[in-house]
């Protein structure tokens, strides 16, 4: 029967142990070769699949190679390059504005602090955490994307709803040396098994400790809906 372990710490430890065994070398799926490319890719990834972002940035990064290229870009032309990305007009504006700020306020270098990054257009804590972790090798928090949000609630690790509240709730119970990979393990599991609409609970290595498992429960704790 799918029953959450007695404490959140025990639940997290077991989730990490099992997912680490399944995914021993988790990696970010966005493709990039510089910090600016990473920043652009993460801004574009909001409410868009990494696969779609990678398809667009493959040609985008050939056209725009430097921070200055984005800062000086014609915004309409930049948006046209991104027209298969969700909210591409807004994202083009964010990217151009962020690049201008990086040039003017940070000597053309993508910042390496949470406060400086979140001051940039289109950059919240999720984006900033990704850039810090994968661009600067600094881990100051937990990236809470849709997979982490869904699975952390579905597994009974948190009952918070908003990403920033979830991150704050997770940080004391997820060991700090696992903050970075916790995200990647849950993303991998969310893509392969614990999907949003039709999770494969019968093949899930966490089913016995999952208080949302369809084999034992009527409610999906991710959103409170009935299966």
């Amino acid at each position: 029967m799918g029953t959450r372990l007695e404490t959140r710490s025990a639940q997290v430890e077991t989730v990490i142990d099992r997912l680490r065994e399944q995914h021993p070398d988790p990696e970010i799926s966005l493709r990039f070769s510089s910090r600016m490319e990473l920043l652009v890719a993460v801004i574009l990834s909001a409410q868009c699949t990494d696969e779609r972002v990678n398809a667009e940035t493959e040609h985008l990064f050939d056209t725009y190679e430097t921070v200055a290229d984005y800062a000086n870009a014609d915004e309409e032309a930049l948006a046209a390059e991104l027209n298969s990305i969700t909210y591409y007009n807004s994202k083009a504006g964010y990217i151009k504005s962020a690049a201008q700020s990086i040039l003017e306020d940070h000597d053309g270098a993508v910042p390496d602090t949470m406060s400086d990054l979140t001051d940039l257009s289109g950059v919240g804590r999720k984006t900033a955490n990704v850039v810090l972790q994968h661009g600067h090798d600094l881990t100051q928090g937990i990236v809470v994307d849709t997979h982490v949000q869904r699975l952390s609630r579905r597994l009974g690790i948190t009952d918070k709803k908003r990403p920033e509240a979830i991150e704050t709730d997770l940080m004391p119970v997820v060991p700090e040396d696992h903050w970075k990979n916790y995200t990647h393990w849950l993303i991998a599991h969310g893509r392969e098994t614990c999907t949003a609409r039709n999770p494969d609970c019968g093949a899930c290595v966490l089913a016995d400790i999952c208080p949302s498992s369809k084999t034992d429960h009527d409610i999906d704790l991710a959103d409170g809906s009935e299966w």
Side-chain angles (χ1 to χ4, degrees), residues 9 21 52 54 73 84 93 97 108 113 115 137 141 143-144 169 201 210:
S9 295
E21 185 173 350
R52 168 53 53 192
N54 287 335
S84 72
S97 177
T113 69
S115 60
D137 198 26
V143 176
V144 178
D169 197 41
C201 298
C210 180

Side-chain angles (χ1 to χ4, degrees), residues 51-73:
E51 183 180 14
R52 168 53 53 192
V53 172
N54 287 335
E56 288 301 311
T57 56
E58 185 174 1
H59 63 79
L60 183 74
F61 293 161
D62 287 335
T63 303
Y64 302 90
E65 298 182 351
T66 67
V67 174
D69 288 340
Y70 290 104
N72 298 322

Side-chain angles (χ1 to χ4, degrees), residues 13-22 205-206 208-209:
E13 180 180 356
T14 302
V15 167
I16 287 174
D17 286 346
R18 294 185 187 180
L19 294 185
R20 177 170 51 185
E21 185 173 350
Q22 280 206 320
V205 297
L206 302 173
D208 63 311
I209 62 167

